[in-house]
Amino acid sequence: MSQSIGLTIPPRQREKSYDNRIVGRFIDLVHKVLTPGNNLLFEKKSAFLLIRSFQYIMSSEQKRQLEQQLWNIANTLRGKMDADDFRDYILGFIFYKYLSEKMELYANELLAEDGITYVKLDEQSPEGQEFLDAIKEEAIQKLGFFLKPSELFKEIVRRGQAKNDEDGHSNFILGDLANILNNIEQSTMGTDSEEDFNRLFEDLDLTSSKLGRTESAKNALIVKVLEHLNVIDFQLQNVESDVLGDAYEYLIGQFASGAGKKAGEFYTPQQVSKILAKLVTTGKTKLKSVYDPTCGSGSLLLRVAKEVKEVSNFYGQELNRTTYNLARMNMILHDVHYRRFDIRQDDTLEHPQHLDKRFEAIVANPPFSAQWSASPLHISDDRFSQYGRLAPASKADFAFVQHMVHHLAENGTMAVVVPHGVLFRGGAEGHIREHLIADKNYLDAVIGLPANIFYGTSIPTAVLVFKKCREHPTDILFIDASAYYEKGKNQNYLREADIDKIVDTYRERRVEARYSYRATLDEVKANDYNLNIPRYVDTFAEEETVDLEQVSTNLKKLNEEKQQIDNLIESYCQQLGITTPF
């Protein structure tokens, strides 16, 4: 190389996710390495970390751009349709595009030795059919589903963009699209992935009047959505990046923020998810299993995976059918293989689907104070029998806690979000609370969160952390984080520093004035097992002593200054020949 290579960064508005110092250092390093005669030596580790930092920055920028593109599409095209109705369509079509690109990439790998690409296969020829049969068999095993070349996302878009002509070719694609989505599900029939794809697209109702008054109007809207999605590069070939998965999470969060009370049915705010995930992964780099009994869109399960190197298996249960479909899509879209997740749809308390399982990590944000049957038949249920009492029919909070404790492995940790009433209500709830502390000694920590951080409710909440084998069995850690947040227009937010403070305090079991306290079991017993946080963490701050003598002196000085000003005004008034205003 005869000359150095000049690299410049195009001027751009500084983004929060863009660390210009790392980029500058990276480019400076490239200049030095490529300059002739420069025998630059540096440690491999340092260079590797620098390159990884640059990759992270670029990944963050790609993620931000993709998030913005997808949200702009959703916002522009939904028209007068309710956000949560349009959510099902836009997320469903993103998922269909993901499956298509995944299928094409895998098929092209299989066909590489033959020197052909998937879209060039002739589906009607005997040779083409032979290829398709072989690819289908491999795809079902590897991916869990199958799409023919003519069923790929870009092919249906191409047909939608075509002009109607005299030969009868039409750009009406709704029928074809419905058949393709059905074919995806049908391709899994009788295979291991059948349950994970069964009725997965049932919420994409292409006949709904919400899409338009006429069939032509419906078709036009769907074509427009697909066209906009088609130009976005999901970068699935980049196996180390989860840009699309993160963008999908972002979209779910954006829809949740506009869905009000209904958002709580399918989404836990990311900052709360991060706290729960960090709590249950404390001291661990791998997990055999993670479980969420009220999994919503699956975001909380996936958040746990971000905190460790590996999660072997994901388990969840969800009551709402639409949300259950969203959870399965979310798992697949985050490249969780269908054999590694088991998400079921049913009522967790009345019809639990994983009774024989015990999990290393359990996380949940159950519906607050939901109603349940509290049927006497549950007294003989292993989940509740040892307590001797059932949670009230009008408040299922402790029923969910009991259910989760039952599923917790001996070496496991569980973290659950509850309304504050769970900490101090009496009756059956008080009895259950006492049993968990006095008889079982499972409660490890109580963490108070700020009010108004959840969608659709402003009530203050707490996180309860349980372990069956506690490292610190003689005390319970109480944390009052209720005053540490950033106030938003409609909702409060936990900042990174607030999250870190909670997690670090838990992991170090640190005692800090007006923030955290380690209460002995005897102290908790003396409070009749009432866990109300102010009983243990004194947040009272003494007011500064007022020096009354100094206040008197300051008042005299003010009066003197006032008199001087009055005299000056009186002098001016006399000069002007006008009456003084006092």
Side-chain angles (χ1 to χ4, degrees):
M1 190 176 293
S2 60
Q3 60 180 9
S4 63
I5 296 175
L7 299 175
T8 59
I9 305 177
R12 65 169 71 229
Q13 183 180 358
R14 184 187 177 104
E15 298 288 343
K16 290 181 181 179
S17 62
Y18 227 93
D19 191 334
N20 287 343
R21 290 171 298 176
I22 296 178
V23 176
R25 191 176 162 209
F26 179 82
I27 289 175
D28 182 56
L29 178 63
V30 174
H31 270 299
K32 290 178 180 178
V33 172
L34 297 180
T35 300
N38 192 347
N39 297 318
L40 180 68
L41 296 176
F42 52 87
E43 293 183 10
K44 287 183 178 180
K45 184 177 179 182
S46 176
F48 173 76
L49 290 174
L50 191 60
I51 292 169
R52 292 292 294 193
S53 296
F54 185 72
Q55 288 173 335
Y56 171 77
I57 291 168
M58 294 309 295
S59 176
S60 297
E61 178 66 6
Q62 290 164 355
K63 173 183 160 213
R64 186 195 66 78
Q65 290 177 356
L66 180 56
E67 288 172 351
Q68 198 58 54
Q69 280 179 302
L70 292 175
W71 184 240
N72 286 344
I73 292 171
N75 244 358
T76 303
L77 300 179
R78 76 179 179 92
K80 296 180 180 179
M81 194 186 299
D82 287 343
D84 51 294
D85 286 330
F86 194 73
R87 176 198 71 200
D88 298 333
Y89 290 99
I90 190 75
L91 294 179
F93 289 139
I94 290 171
F95 183 63
Y96 166 41
K97 176 174 164 65
Y98 167 83
L99 294 182
S100 292
E101 295 190 5
K102 197 82 172 170
M103 180 69 233
E104 186 176 7
L105 280 172
Y106 182 62
N108 283 340
E109 285 179 22
L110 297 177
L111 293 168
E113 290 184 6
D114 297 288
I116 53 176
T117 60
Y118 196 47
V119 293
K120 295 296 184 183
L121 285 182
D122 181 358
E123 296 179 27
Q124 307 305 318
S125 71
E127 183 185 18
Q129 191 58 53
E130 190 176 335
F131 272 116
L132 287 178
D133 290 341
I135 291 169
K136 180 176 181 179
E137 186 176 344
E138 295 290 333
I140 291 295
Q141 284 297 313
K142 176 72 174 178
L143 307 178
F145 67 93
F146 175 71
L147 278 163
K148 293 186 291 188
S150 58
E151 295 174 332
L152 296 177
F153 187 94
K154 62 184 182 183
E155 290 301 305
I156 198 75
V157 171
R158 183 183 57 76
R159 295 206 289 275
Q161 291 173 327
K163 300 288 185 183
N164 294 335
D165 58 33
E166 295 177 358
D167 295 329
H169 294 111
S170 169
N171 67 351
F172 188 81
I173 61 168
L174 294 188
D176 287 347
L177 184 55
N179 288 333
I180 290 170
L181 299 180
N182 183 59
N183 289 346
I184 293 173
E185 297 176 9
Q186 291 297 315
S187 72
T188 69
M189 296 292 285
T191 71
D192 292 342
S193 62
E194 179 180 353
E195 191 171 326
D196 298 314
F197 283 84
N198 183 38
R199 296 167 60 195
L200 194 53
F201 292 100
E202 65 183 344
D203 294 304
L204 270 71
D205 183 3
L206 301 179
T207 64
S208 173
S209 59
K210 294 174 183 176
L211 295 173
R213 295 180 60 186
T214 65
E215 294 303 296
S216 177
K218 295 171 190 175
N219 190 73
L221 176 60
I222 295 301
V223 168
K224 192 178 291 186
V225 172
L226 299 185
E227 281 179 332
H228 278 76
L229 289 175
N230 194 48
V231 298
I232 298 177
D233 182 4
F234 284 176
Q235 300 178 21
L236 300 189
Q237 66 276 10
N238 184 357
V239 294
E240 293 187 4
S241 173
D242 193 19
V243 171
L244 178 59
D246 289 341
Y248 200 73
E249 285 284 312
Y250 168 82
L251 265 189
I252 294 172
Q254 288 294 95
F255 279 116
S257 67
K261 191 170 183 179
K262 292 180 71 175
E265 296 175 7
F266 64 89
Y267 191 73
T268 300
Q270 275 295 313
Q271 66 264 29
V272 179
S273 293
K274 190 179 290 188
I275 291 172
L276 298 181
K278 287 180 178 292
L279 293 174
V280 300
T281 56
T282 295
K284 301 196 174 181
T285 56
K286 294 183 179 180
L287 289 173
K288 289 182 179 178
S289 57
V290 59
Y291 171 61
D292 184 346
T294 57
C295 68
S297 63
S299 301
L300 191 43
L301 288 170
L302 291 163
R303 181 68 237 184
V304 173
K306 289 181 180 289
E307 299 300 328
V308 288
K309 293 178 181 177
E310 180 185 337
V311 175
S312 297
N313 292 286
F314 299 82
Y315 297 86
Q317 190 165 335
E318 172 56 38
L319 177 61
N320 182 281
R321 181 75 196 184
T322 297
T323 310
Y324 162 67
N325 290 337
L326 188 56
R328 292 186 293 167
M329 289 183 187
N330 208 4
M331 284 286 161
I332 294 167
L333 205 134
H334 277 82
D335 212 25
V336 178
H337 194 275
Y338 68 88
R339 290 194 182 95
R340 291 179 52 220
F341 72 87
D342 181 3
I343 309 290
R344 307 285 184 87
Q345 191 248 325
D346 214 325
D347 187 314
T348 299
L349 297 180
E350 305 297 340
H351 305 289
Q353 298 294 302
H354 301 95
L355 275 179
D356 60 328
K357 303 288 186 185
R358 298 297 178 270
F359 306 108
E360 192 174 357
I362 301 180
V363 286
N365 173 25
F368 300 149
S369 301
Q371 294 186 345
W372 75 304
S373 71
S375 167
L377 295 174
H378 285 311
I379 287 291
S380 60
D381 188 318
D382 287 344
R383 296 173 296 165
F384 313 113
S385 59
Q386 61 185 297
Y387 297 86
R389 301 284 294 274
L390 295 174
S394 61
K395 295 179 179 65
D397 305 301
F398 262 114
F400 282 111
V401 170
Q402 291 169 302
H403 171 89
M404 294 167 70
V405 167
H406 173 78
H407 282 289
L408 186 63
E410 291 298 318
N411 67 334
T413 305
M414 69 174 255
V416 55
V417 180
V418 295
H420 266 213
V422 166
L423 305 180
F424 54 78
R425 289 193 297 248
E429 292 179 291
H431 178 86
I432 295 168
R433 199 165 53 239
E434 180 177 344
H435 181 80
L436 285 166
I437 299 168
D439 299 333
K440 294 297 185 181
N441 195 13
Y442 288 164
L443 183 62
D444 198 48
V446 179
I447 303 168
L449 299 177
N452 198 31
I453 60 172
F454 286 91
Y455 298 114
T457 179
S458 60
I459 65 171
T461 54
V463 174
L464 300 182
V465 183
F466 291 90
K467 288 184 174 184
K468 289 186 175 178
C469 295
R470 300 209 293 135
E471 295 88 349
H472 305 277
T474 60
D475 61 57
I476 297 171
L477 177 67
F478 287 82
I479 298 175
D480 185 353
S482 60
Y484 293 80
Y485 63 92
E486 181 177 329
K487 192 171 181 61
K489 184 178 179 182
N490 299 315
Q491 195 175 344
N492 296 328
Y493 298 91
L494 291 165
R495 298 157 296 197
E496 284 299 317
D498 303 326
I499 294 170
D500 291 343
K501 186 175 177 67
I502 290 171
V503 175
D504 291 346
T505 301
Y506 171 75
R507 289 177 174 174
E508 298 167 15
R509 294 191 84 77
R510 193 169 62 224
V511 173
E512 181 181 324
R514 293 188 293 279
Y515 187 75
S516 61
Y517 180 72
R518 290 169 65 173
T520 65
L521 296 182
D522 286 338
E523 286 179 85
V524 177
K525 181 180 179 180
N527 277 310
D528 293 324
Y529 302 97
N530 185 317
L531 303 176
N532 205 13
I533 297 171
R535 287 177 177 249
Y536 305 94
V537 181
D538 184 4
T539 57
F540 177 76
E542 289 188 13
E543 294 185 11
E544 188 177 342
T545 304
V546 177
D547 186 341
L548 295 178
E549 190 64 39
Q550 185 62 47
V551 171
S552 178
T553 301
N554 290 343
L555 287 173
K556 286 179 182 178
K557 188 176 179 180
L558 285 172
N559 280 328
E560 290 172 1
E561 291 175 356
K562 178 177 177 296
Q563 188 58 52
Q564 290 174 6
I565 293 170
D566 287 348
N567 292 340
L568 186 61
I569 291 173
E570 185 177 14
S571 170
Y572 287 150
C573 288
Q574 288 175 353
Q575 292 177 38
L576 295 169
I578 59 175
T579 306
T580 57
F582 45 81

